[in-house]
Amino acid sequence: MHTVRVWQVAPVHTEWTAVLPVRAGREEEARRLVTEALARNPDMGGGPPRNAIGLFEPGPGRRGPRFHSGDSAPRLSAALYLEFMPAGPDMVYAQYELAHRILESSAPLLEDARWYAILTQCEDILDCWELVAGRLRYERHLTEEEQARELLQQLEPSLRRRLD
């Protein structure tokens, strides 16, 4: 069992999740793709998994991702976002592989974005995620115990003060 911690660095800075803008005009296709993928992979209770990929539509009164408190309020301009690991710091069983498959399928529908995830049991796995020109780039780094944060600081110096 691992704990997943996420840091998004583009297009907005988030904590615990990544919000991935859907390209204008592709919202219904993205909504259908995610909804169908989740329905085909129910959680232990038979419902859609709560912690894989979620759909987020900005609006007043809506629950949304947590943005880094040091940033000014981000401007969310897309009508729909896919949210990576949407349960945040809650303890739930994550459907990490399902999230990966959904992102690969939906990459052509999404705007560019970059985020990182550390899977901890002993902080030994760092995953680098990037959407570029409709393609998902994913890279996994296995590190010695307690070294994933150090590697992340080397790869993304902008996160240095956020990793404490």
Side-chain angles (χ1 to χ4, degrees):
M1 181 180 348
H2 294 282
T3 301
V4 178
R5 176 79 193 268
V6 178
W7 294 269
Q8 183 175 12
V9 295
V12 294
H13 300 280
T14 62
E15 295 182 355
W16 298 108
T17 188
V19 288
L20 313 170
V22 175
R23 294 178 190 273
R26 308 299 297 269
E27 297 88 359
E28 289 308 313
E29 189 177 355
R31 187 177 283 109
R32 185 178 64 253
L33 188 151
V34 170
T35 302
E36 289 174 0
L38 295 177
R40 285 190 306 270
N41 296 278
D43 66 11
M44 292 185 292
R50 183 174 148 214
N51 201 6
I53 297 292
L55 298 169
F56 172 66
E57 297 176 74
R62 297 291 307 262
R63 177 214 57 88
R66 287 190 196 149
F67 298 97
H68 191 269
S69 59
D71 293 339
S72 59
R75 294 184 183 179
L76 298 179
S77 57
L80 180 67
Y81 292 80
L82 300 192
E83 192 176 359
F84 176 79
M85 301 284 111
D90 293 346
M91 293 296 287
V92 297
Y93 288 100
Q95 298 274 346
Y96 204 76
E97 287 300 317
L98 176 58
H100 191 166
R101 289 194 313 267
I102 292 171
L103 289 174
E104 282 184 324
S105 299
S106 62
L109 310 175
L110 303 174
E111 298 287 351
D112 292 355
R114 189 172 78 243
W115 70 102
Y116 300 89
I118 292 179
L119 285 70
T120 60
Q121 190 167 18
C122 299
E123 289 198 338
D124 55 356
I125 301 171
L126 171 63
D127 289 340
C128 305
W129 299 82
E130 189 170 28
L131 289 161
V132 178
R135 297 184 62 101
L136 178 67
R137 295 180 186 169
Y138 169 81
E139 188 174 296
R140 174 160 277 184
H141 299 273
L142 301 176
T143 70
E144 296 294 323
E145 188 173 313
E146 300 293 328
Q147 297 301 305
R149 285 179 191 251
E150 186 174 305
L151 178 58
L152 180 52
Q153 288 178 17
Q154 292 170 14
L155 294 173
E156 190 65 49
S158 70
L159 291 176
R160 188 168 307 249
R161 62 190 172 107
R162 295 185 184 163
L163 296 174
D164 298 328

